């Protein structure tokens, strides 16, 4: 427990469907509405990814996504 | 580290529940004024009601309840320690606020005649108004904000307030948590609407952000008000909630109760008379868990399939919609499974219990021009609708307050000092991660402050908190996001220390589990029928003192005052 930055072995609780995500076309809705500001653009493919393990599993990202590309899981420690 | 300077007439900090109403009401009353609404997240989805709300917990609707009944109920629920004038100011405006929200498009449950379908959940009266389609509250409020031309600024974490040479509020300073910009805002009035201190105790899961409250509510407002010299109130009256175990969100008895759901022990027996959240109810809940009768469950499996479906349509759609995902993951179905409940970690919250910035019935704090509304202010059990009404009260009073006033002068030395404090963790070469310090701090809060409160434990806790205060000088942030978290750790520590000291100061037990001291287990009205207040002393140390409970508007007989003591089913109130 030294950082909440997502590492390779972290169980990510926000799952982004890369085929549906349109962040590479300029969409920023989920990034904008996230209360804890944990979503960023992946420098690789321009899609959205979870950058910090600070999710409140609240769902605005999923509900406001125009292409329904996001699925939120309960963070591993709570499941 | 660029510095941006902004000026406005009325600055509202916090865009959750109270903040939007403050902005709307300021603009409605004085359209010519500049009103700036900030949030550390995004106003569209900020705060405790990011996903809406499933019920109004304190509706005072003619035909169902009167302000007098409501004020008496909350006085009794809070063991008499209330400013009835402040609660009455809410109660008098409760119905108008519901009608206005209704007109804007917020959906409340109505019966076949079109009357609001109020339910009884409290111990004595009926105040719960279901909102089965309450998921759109934020969208409705945001539409009004846009329509009225409120200036909105997102991703600003406010860290300190500015006070002018005459003691009047002068503005605030903030960190832009994406760009790392430093923002100085001058204002003629400031309304703090930053919510509870919800990231105080550590959830039993160990997940830092698995809190009942929106975890962005780290107690920033408590810390800012304190450092600005405002009086804080009731910090020993903790918020502790009965929550779904591990999920750590509400079950929620206010929704399920009217449908016939209730709380049971491991034997399947009911043990509390009322599921309304009070310290007295939580004490019985704790006794049941500790006394070998636990676990405690929410029971719905006796209800008709159709009724359970209705409950699911509320609980899995609004307020905390991931409840459905959580239950699905564990194969829990309300139709044949009980929902395991537990006792939450502690927090500070005016909206749920009674701890926050002291305000009068005009939402004024003790600093001229500084207002507080919502979960942050100590207007007991005020909940969502109380936050909205207090946002409105604060804004309308602030409009009058600033008439004919210029901006107060700001002290450049205070601005420089704050800039240095904020950016130190970014400039430091190496140090402690904010996550690690926060984890340790909040674990210590659990170890030493979680009720039942023990004097020696709280004294040890204060020593650990003092050590962590030294650790703050070694915090290292690698980017503005981590810097925001680092500044939140400062606020959490302030809240932890003040909560411990306030708890030690009040030498009695009161409010059931919220302030149950094992070494001082009795209530002592002769000495402690008063508010416990704190403000920052001239030496920079907290100064505690008693504030008398103002004379009641609606007198309550001594035999009625402690009616919430009789919360256990097999117990009758001792005369």
């Amino acid at each position: 427990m030294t950082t909440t930055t997502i590492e390779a072995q972290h169980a990510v609780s926000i799952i982004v469907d890369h085929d549906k995500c349109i962040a590479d076309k300029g969409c920023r809705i989920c990034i904008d509405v996230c209360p804890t500001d944990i979503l960023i653009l992946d420098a690789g493919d321009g899609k959205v990814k979870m950058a910090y393990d600070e999710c409140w599993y609240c769902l605005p990202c999923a509900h406001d996504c125009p292409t329904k590309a996001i699925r939120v899981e309960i963070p591993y420690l709570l499941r | 580290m660029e510095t941006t300077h902004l000026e406005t007439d009325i600055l509202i900090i916090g865009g959750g529940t109270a903040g939007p109403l403050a902005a709307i009401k300021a603009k409605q009353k004085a359209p010519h004024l500049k009103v700036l609404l900030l949030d550390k997240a995004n106003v569209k989805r900020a705060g405790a009601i990011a996903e809406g709300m499933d019920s109004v917990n304190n509706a005072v609707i003619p035909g169902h309840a009167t302000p007098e009944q409501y004020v008496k109920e909350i006085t009794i629920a809070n063991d008499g320690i209330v400013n009835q004038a402040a609660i009455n100011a809410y109660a008098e405006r409760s119905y108008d606020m519901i009608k206005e929200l209704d007109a804007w498009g917020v959906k409340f449950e109505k019966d076949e005649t079109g009357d609001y379908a109020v339910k009884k959940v409290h111990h004595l009266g009926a105040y719960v108004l279901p909102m089965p389609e309450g998921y759109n509250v934020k969208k409705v409020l945001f539409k009004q904000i846009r329509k009225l031309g409120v200036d909105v600024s997102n991703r600003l974490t406010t860290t300190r307030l500015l006070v002018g040479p005459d003691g009047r509020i002068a503005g605030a300073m903030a960190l832009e948590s994406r760009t790392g910009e430093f923002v100085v805002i001058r204002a003629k009035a400031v309304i703090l609407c930053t919510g509870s201190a919800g990231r105080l105790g550590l959830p039993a899961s160990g997940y830092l952000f698995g809190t009942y409250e929106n975890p962005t509510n780290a107690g920033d407002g408590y810390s800012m008000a304190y450092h600005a010299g405002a009086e804080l109130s009731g910090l020993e009256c903790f918020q502790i909630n009965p929550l779904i175990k591990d999920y750590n969100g509400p079950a929620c008895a206010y929704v399920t109760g009217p449908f016939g759901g209730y709380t049971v022990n491991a034997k399947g027996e009911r043990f509390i008379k009322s599921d309304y959240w009070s310290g007295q109810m939580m004490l019985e809940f704790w006794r049941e868990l500790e006394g070998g009768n636990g676990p405690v469950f929410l029971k719905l499996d006796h209800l008709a399939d159709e009724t359970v479906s209705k409950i699911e349509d509320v609980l899995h759609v609004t307020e905390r919609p991931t409840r459905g995902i959580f239950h699905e993951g564990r194969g829990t179905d309300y139709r044949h499974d009980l929902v395991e409940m537990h006792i939450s970690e502690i927090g500070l919250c005016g909206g749920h219990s009674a701890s926050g910035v002291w305000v009068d019935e005009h939402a004024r704090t003790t600093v001229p021009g500084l207002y507080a509304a919502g979960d942050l202010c100590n207007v007991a059990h005020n909940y969502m609708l109380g936050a909205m009404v207090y946002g409105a009260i604060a804004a309308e009073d602030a409009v009058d307050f600033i008439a004919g006033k210029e901006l107060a002068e700001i002290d450049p030395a205070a601005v420089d000092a704050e800039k240095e404090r904020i950016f130190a963790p970014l400039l430091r070469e190496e140090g402690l991660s904010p996550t690690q310090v926060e984890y340790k701090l909040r674990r210590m809060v659990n170890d030493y402050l979680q009720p039942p409160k023990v004097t020696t434990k709280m004294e040890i806790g204060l020593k650990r908190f003092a050590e962590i205060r030294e650790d703050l000088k070694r915090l290292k942030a690698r980017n503005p996001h981590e810097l925001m978290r680092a500044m939140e750790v400062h606020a959490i520590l302030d809240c932890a220390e003040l909560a411990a000291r306030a708890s030690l100061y009040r030498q009695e037990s009161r409010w059931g589990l919220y302030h149950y001291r094992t070494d001082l287990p009795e209530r002592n009205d002769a000495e402690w029928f008063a508010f416990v207040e704190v403000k920052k002393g001239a030496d920079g140390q907290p100064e505690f003192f008693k504030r008398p409970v103002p004379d009641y508007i609606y007198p309550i007989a001594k035999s009625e005052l402690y009616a919430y003591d009789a919360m256990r089913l097999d117990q009758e109130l001792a005369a």
Side-chain angles (χ1 to χ4, degrees):
Chain A
M1 173 73 62
T2 56
T3 171
T4 50
T5 305
I6 299 290
E7 310 289 347
Q9 288 177 313
H10 242 97
V12 173
S13 56
I14 297 178
I15 317 293
V16 180
D17 183 332
H18 282 216
D19 294 334
K20 290 185 184 168
C21 176
I22 52 168
D24 54 334
K25 297 187 176 68
C27 181
R28 297 288 181 273
I29 288 174
C30 63
I31 294 176
D32 281 346
V33 297
C34 174
T36 53
D37 207 12
I38 59 176
L39 300 175
I40 60 167
L41 285 185
D42 189 325
D45 63 0
K47 307 285 187 177
V48 166
K49 71 170 185 182
M50 181 173 166
Y52 301 95
D53 193 12
E54 299 171 348
C55 176
W56 190 44
Y57 40 106
C58 56
L59 290 188
C61 57
H63 285 160
D64 293 351
C65 174
T67 61
K68 299 293 161 218
I70 294 181
R71 182 164 57 86
V72 175
E73 294 184 347
I74 303 295
Y76 174 73
L77 290 178
L78 281 62
R79 259 176 238 166
Chain B
M1 283 151 284
E2 294 291 310
T3 301
T4 302
H5 294 272
L6 301 174
E7 286 183 6
T8 189
D9 292 309
I10 298 176
L11 171 64
I12 300 160
I13 303 172
T17 312
L21 260 295
I24 290 164
K25 290 293 168 182
K27 273 294 200 184
Q28 279 182 348
K29 182 166 176 174
H32 60 285
L33 291 181
K34 283 177 74 178
V35 175
L36 174 60
L37 176 61
L38 334 165
D39 200 277
K40 72 204 299 192
N42 184 308
V43 173
K44 275 185 194 166
R45 287 290 202 176
I49 60 166
E51 280 281 315
M53 187 48 65
D54 53 24
S55 68
V56 173
N57 295 339
N58 51 350
V60 184
I61 296 179
H64 299 279
T66 63
E68 177 174 354
Q69 281 172 332
Y70 176 75
V71 172
K72 281 182 164 178
E73 174 103 29
I74 298 306
T75 303
I76 294 167
N78 208 49
D79 277 0
I81 311 298
V82 296
N83 176 9
Q84 281 198 344
I87 294 171
N88 194 52
Y90 158 71
E92 296 279 0
R93 292 184 65 164
S94 174
Y95 184 46
D96 284 344
M97 183 59 73
I98 290 169
K99 284 189 291 185
E100 190 160 26
L101 292 169
D102 196 334
W104 290 343
V106 175
K107 298 265 200 309
F108 301 98
E109 190 169 320
K110 291 177 185 168
D111 64 20
E112 55 281 2
T113 69
D115 185 21
Y116 292 109
V118 179
K119 314 283 184 192
K120 183 178 183 301
V121 175
H122 291 59
H123 196 29
L124 306 172
Y127 314 99
V128 170
L129 175 58
M131 300 169 67
E133 294 173 74
Y135 41 76
N136 68 344
V137 184
K138 288 292 294 186
K139 291 203 164 140
V140 169
L141 296 180
F142 197 71
K143 222 164 117 183
Q144 296 296 322
I145 288 169
R146 275 275 176 264
K147 194 176 104 184
L148 290 161
V150 174
D151 295 323
V152 171
S153 197
N154 297 315
R155 304 296 169 193
L156 288 182
T157 299
T158 317
T159 58
R160 283 285 187 269
L161 300 171
L162 287 159
V163 178
D166 57 352
R168 179 161 64 96
I169 200 73
M173 295 169 286
L175 164 74
E176 215 285 6
S177 62
R178 287 184 180 167
T179 62
E181 217 178 326
F182 181 61
V183 183
V184 180
I185 308 144
R186 296 179 66 188
K188 295 172 187 168
V190 174
I191 305 173
L192 275 178
C193 306
T194 50
S196 63
R199 228 161 85 209
L200 188 51
L202 181 68
S205 66
Y207 192 64
L208 288 172
F209 287 72
T211 47
Y212 166 74
E213 296 286 352
N214 185 318
T216 58
N217 296 344
D220 315 22
Y222 288 74
S223 175
M224 284 190 279
Y226 171 76
H227 289 292
E231 189 177 318
L232 272 58
S233 179
L235 301 187
E236 74 285 16
C237 182
F238 295 171
Q239 177 189 202
I240 306 167
N241 298 327
L243 302 178
I244 300 170
K245 188 174 178 298
D246 301 331
Y247 179 80
N248 221 31
C252 166
Y254 299 171
V255 172
T256 59
F259 285 109
Y262 56 89
T263 304
V264 297
N265 60 23
K267 297 171 190 160
E269 294 165 351
R270 230 174 154 139
F271 63 96
I272 41 177
K273 283 181 187 167
S274 166
D275 279 322
Y276 178 68
W277 291 5
S278 63
Q280 298 85 341
M281 186 276 265
M282 286 311 303
L283 183 60
E284 296 307 334
F285 200 109
W286 174 79
R287 283 179 177 148
E288 207 68 6
L289 286 176
E290 295 298 308
N293 283 333
V296 166
F297 302 94
L298 178 70
K299 179 175 162 62
L300 302 171
D301 62 351
H302 57 293
L303 302 177
D305 183 73
E306 184 193 356
T307 308
V308 173
S309 296
K310 270 191 200 160
I311 290 172
E312 286 172 338
D313 283 346
V314 182
L315 292 186
H316 301 174
V317 173
T318 189
E319 189 178 355
R320 297 307 309 274
T322 48
R323 288 181 278 217
I325 300 170
F326 175 77
H327 292 317
E328 197 187 341
R330 289 186 171 183
T332 304
D333 185 331
Y334 301 141
R335 286 163 191 81
H336 40 76
D337 301 301
L338 300 177
V339 180
E340 188 183 356
M341 304 291 292
H342 78 150
I343 291 181
S344 74
E345 70 284 358
I346 68 161
L348 301 175
C349 180
H352 288 91
S353 58
S355 54
V357 177
W358 174 265
V359 293
D360 66 9
E361 63 272 31
H362 308 288
R364 297 172 190 158
T365 73
T366 54
V367 173
L370 178 65
Y371 296 80
D375 282 349
L376 173 68
C377 71
N378 185 10
V379 180
H381 299 227
N382 222 2
Y383 289 100
M384 176 189 74
L385 202 68
M388 291 174 171
V389 168
Y390 261 77
I393 291 173
E396 289 166 5
D397 199 83
V399 168
D400 295 336
F401 173 83
I402 68 170
K405 287 195 176 71
E406 297 298 317
L407 290 165
E409 287 305 313
I410 57 171
D411 175 10
V415 174
D416 290 345
E418 181 58 2
K419 191 171 181 180
E420 198 180 323
R421 185 182 79 98
I422 293 183
F423 290 99
L426 206 55
L427 299 172
R428 207 165 274 137
E429 286 295 317
E430 55 185 30
L432 299 167
S433 87
T435 305
Q436 203 168 29
V437 178
E438 180 178 337
Y439 184 88
K440 179 172 170 178
L441 167 59
R442 292 173 62 194
R443 181 177 65 77
M444 295 295 184
V445 167
N446 284 14
D447 289 349
Y448 296 110
L449 299 189
Q450 179 83 21
K453 300 177 184 178
V454 181
T455 302
T456 311
K457 281 169 75 171
M458 292 190 285
E459 287 167 353
I460 296 171
L462 281 170
K463 285 183 192 161
R464 298 290 90 81
F465 298 156
E467 290 157 7
I468 293 171
R469 197 166 285 285
E470 288 301 305
D471 294 342
L472 297 184
K473 296 172 188 161
R474 295 162 58 205
L475 280 170
K476 168 65 188 166
R478 294 173 297 184
N479 54 48
H481 181 90
E482 287 188 355
L483 193 54
M484 164 175 66
R485 298 285 173 244
M487 300 324 293
E488 288 171 341
V489 176
H490 281 78
I492 296 168
L493 180 58
D494 283 343
C495 291
E497 188 188 325
L498 293 173
R501 291 193 189 282
S503 295
L504 285 165
Y505 185 82
R506 182 182 284 280
Q507 295 191 28
E508 62 155 3
S509 287
R510 192 173 288 271
W511 306 299
L513 190 62
Y514 296 167
H515 184 66
Y516 177 46
R517 293 186 67 169
T518 48
D519 31 17
L520 293 159
E522 303 298 324
R523 190 164 45 218
N524 178 355
D525 279 342
E527 288 184 59
W528 293 102
F529 195 83
F531 290 97
V532 165
E533 307 287 284
V534 61
K535 63 179 184 182
K536 193 173 178 177
D539 61 353
Q541 292 302 308
E543 241 173 56
F544 284 87
F545 54 97
K546 291 181 196 174
R547 182 191 262 272
V549 173
D551 287 342
Y552 287 163
I553 303 170
Y554 309 112
I556 293 175
K558 191 86 184 165
S559 60
E560 279 181 89
L561 186 58
Y562 295 122
Y564 268 61
D565 284 356
M567 198 52 71
R568 185 160 278 275
L569 259 187
D570 52 19
Q571 171 195 39
E572 287 309 318
L573 178 62

